[in-house]
Amino acid sequence: MRLSALPTLWVTALLALSAWPLQAHCDALDGPVVVAARKALAKGDAGPVLVWVKPDDEPQIRAAFARTLAVRALGTEAKDLADAYFFETLVRVHRAGEGAPYTGLKPAGLDLGPAIPAADKALASGDLKPVFDLMHGVLKPGLEARFKQARAAQGTQSVDLAAGRRAVAAYVDFLHYVEGAYRAAAGGVHAVTAETPRAESHHQH
């Protein structure tokens, strides 16, 4: 494997792993999709959950919602089973609409790390600064460490072949880290900008 390919693979793997907490958030019993489902069932109105699925999936969810309401009226045990069925159906269809696999509902109270709770709190409070601070606190040490290593290695590049290779590795690692972070952030901005004008767009997790 080429040396220059290693940082790229590392960044790709990191970004893939970072998707797990978000998936767990959507699939959890205390996640936003199931919370919306509980509200909808309590009101007898499917509206709160339809925003979580694509327009083509709306008939399926409306039908499942109607069946769930009918079964809920049969008693406490039937209500619990009907609710579980609707939660499973809604989350599965929501995940499929994102092109993501569904692996079952996750228990409430999962450790989602700091990012998702901070994002939810920011939306509730209207204050984005804690999220900026969190991202800065994560990105700054990674950038500084690789920058210092690359700078220090530059001075030893001509000592011998091994030192030169270490210098090149540090240089490549720093550049790929910067590029990977930039692409992850810029890609999100471009996606939001492209989708915002669409009247039919839904808030997806």
Side-chain angles (χ1 to χ4, degrees), residues 1 4 14 17 26 30 47 71 83 95 100 113 118 122-123 130 135 142 151 156 159-160 162 169 183 186 188 200 204:
M1 180 179 294
S4 61
L14 184 63
L17 288 173
C26 289
D30 58 351
V71 174
D83 287 2
R95 296 294 293 164
L123 287 171
M135 301 305 291
R151 285 282 296 174
T156 64
V159 174
D160 56 39
R183 286 183 179 274
E200 74 277 13
Q204 299 287 345

Side-chain angles (χ1 to χ4, degrees), residues 38 41 68 72 78-88:
R38 294 186 192 279
L41 291 171
T68 300
R72 285 178 115 232
K79 174 180 175 295
D80 292 341
L81 290 173
D83 287 2
Y85 154 77
F86 185 65
F87 298 158
E88 291 269 358

Side-chain angles (χ1 to χ4, degrees), residues 4-5 7 43 51-52 61-62 118 121 133 146 148 155-156 168 175-176 186 189 197 205:
S4 61
K43 294 170 59 179
V51 298
W52 290 98
I61 295 303
R62 284 190 179 277
K121 186 176 181 180
D133 292 343
R146 286 166 177 80
K148 290 177 180 177
T156 64
V168 169
L175 261 62
H176 276 275
V189 171
H205 260 265

Side-chain angles (χ1 to χ4, degrees), residues 99-189:
Y102 171 65
T103 57
L105 292 176
K106 309 298 185 297
L110 290 176
D111 181 3
L112 301 171
I116 291 173
D120 276 341
K121 186 176 181 180
L123 287 171
S125 67
D127 182 10
L128 188 58
K129 186 178 183 300
V131 176
F132 274 122
D133 292 343
L134 174 67
M135 301 305 291
H136 181 261
V138 171
L139 186 58
K140 185 173 183 286
L143 284 172
E144 287 182 339
R146 286 166 177 80
F147 173 74
K148 290 177 180 177
Q149 187 175 6
R151 285 282 296 174
Q154 282 182 345
T156 64
Q157 188 166 355
S158 59
V159 174
D160 56 39
L161 186 58
R165 285 173 175 159
R166 286 194 296 271
V168 169
Y171 168 77
V172 170
D173 186 46
F174 175 62
L175 261 62
H176 276 275
Y177 188 87
V178 172
E179 182 187 33
Y182 172 78
R183 286 183 179 274
V189 171

